Amino acid sequence: MRRRRGRISRVLTLIAGLLGGAVAALVAACLLATWIITLVVEARYPPAGRRVAVEGGHLAVIEAGPGEGAPSRGTVVLLHGASANAMDPMLAIGRRLAGDGFRVLSFDRPGFGYSDRIAPDAASPAVQARLIGEALAAMKVGPALIVGHSWSGALATAIALDHPERVAGLALLAPVSHPWPGGGVGGYAGWYRSLPGRILLTIATYTVAAPLGYTWLDRFAEAVFRPQGLPAGYLDGARVPLVLRPSTFAANLRDLDGLYGFLQRQSPRYREITAPTVIVAGDSDPVVKTDVHARALAREVPGAKLVVVPGVGHMLQYVAADTVVAEIEALAARERAGAGAE
């Protein structure tokens, strides 16, 4: 009996050693794959604009249209949503607005694209608002039309509330603006708020996230565009794979994690917004519910105009670009008329 137990013990020890070695080999392979994917992605999508110094680091910005000091119809600042970068809104509407005579500045938010994360608390839209404001001041940009999509609905409204001198008008596209049902502990993005969840996601960020993301990125993008289809060339044109880099992937998770609590604090302040505001949303948005966010925001921001596009989902800056551009141009005209009346 002792001999049998001894043999069983040795077999179990051997199996544990083999499994441990296999796990270690798998982790090493995933780390290597993540490193290679990061190098490939950054080689394929190098910096496309310039970096602007702010306190603690730099923000990257892509520019189009008339340059500094040249005549223009106004300055438009584009702020991208989650899992994206400055090229996303530039590809969708930025170049078109530039062709219409606007100076367009599209920022990589802190930690995305080629912007530094800068601050430990940079997940807060209020901190990102301060950094964007510093960059605009460094670029000598006066009050601008601030265009925020999705997550950046919270950022754009934070700029309007905390730095109103930077804002000539607000265009909010499918904006996240309010705490949403089920968004607290255990709700959307809440599954990784526990300590085990955070540990597992940290490990995944540096091992399997990039290889799996690279394989399934088109399917993730298709889900965001529903009920419309994924435009041809979107992933490459919008440089979406940049989000797979571990530092950006981690920043994206932290931004999502802190958003609900931030909106609990900010949303009671929307009646303080004084900038002319237009809100554009699709009535079929499966990602950011229009009734919870856009309609509620339109009721609370004084004088806000709400445009709900029938049958359109979350990525309306692509699938309803004509409507979005027309509303931004109307907002610019409204702002100029208001300035001329003063």
Side-chain angles (χ1 to χ4, degrees), residues 201-239:
L201 271 177
T202 298
I203 295 171
T205 295
Y206 291 92
T207 54
V208 298
L212 291 178
Y214 204 79
T215 302
W216 296 92
L217 201 55
D218 56 342
R219 299 194 182 184
F220 296 147
E222 285 173 357
V224 177
F225 270 88
R226 291 174 186 162
Q228 281 71 41
L230 185 67
Y234 167 74
L235 292 179
D236 195 48
R239 300 154 66 96

Side-chain angles (χ1 to χ4, degrees), residues 260-300:
Y260 184 89
F262 175 81
L263 290 173
Q264 285 181 308
R265 298 185 296 274
Q266 175 170 277
S267 55
R269 301 176 58 200
Y270 290 141
R271 296 190 185 282
E272 302 171 20
I273 292 176
T274 58
T277 300
V278 61
I279 303 163
V280 188
D283 70 356
S284 301
D285 190 337
V287 180
V288 177
K289 300 299 184 183
T290 296
D291 285 345
V292 174
H293 299 277
R295 293 188 191 278
L297 188 61
R299 289 192 297 267
E300 296 168 17

Side-chain angles (χ1 to χ4, degrees), residues 98-138:
D100 289 343
F102 290 92
R103 182 187 182 194
V104 180
L105 309 175
S106 189
F107 281 91
D108 285 328
R109 293 195 288 103
F112 292 78
Y114 286 93
S115 286
D116 301 328
R117 188 61 168 174
I118 301 174
D121 56 351
S124 167
V127 174
Q128 296 194 20
R130 172 177 59 80
L131 294 170
I132 295 291
E134 287 183 19
L136 292 174

Side-chain angles (χ1 to χ4, degrees), residues 121-243:
D121 56 351
S124 167
V127 174
Q128 296 194 20
R130 172 177 59 80
L131 294 170
I132 295 291
E134 287 183 19
L136 292 174
M139 298 174 73
K140 297 181 173 56
V141 174
L145 299 178
I146 309 295
V147 181
H149 174 243
S150 191
W151 191 97
S152 279
L155 171 55
T157 47
I159 296 173
L161 287 165
D162 298 340
H163 310 278
E165 73 282 0
R166 297 289 165 206
V167 182
L170 283 178
L172 307 172
L173 314 179
V176 178
S177 59
H178 288 75
W180 54 93
V185 175
Y188 173 67
W191 60 273
Y192 59 75
R193 289 175 182 160
S194 65
L195 180 59
R198 290 178 185 276
I199 292 172
L200 287 173
L201 271 177
T202 298
I203 295 171
T205 295
Y206 291 92
T207 54
V208 298
L212 291 178
Y214 204 79
T215 302
W216 296 92
L217 201 55
D218 56 342
R219 299 194 182 184
F220 296 147
E222 285 173 357
V224 177
F225 270 88
R226 291 174 186 162
Q228 281 71 41
L230 185 67
Y234 167 74
L235 292 179
D236 195 48
R239 300 154 66 96
V240 177
L242 283 170
V243 77

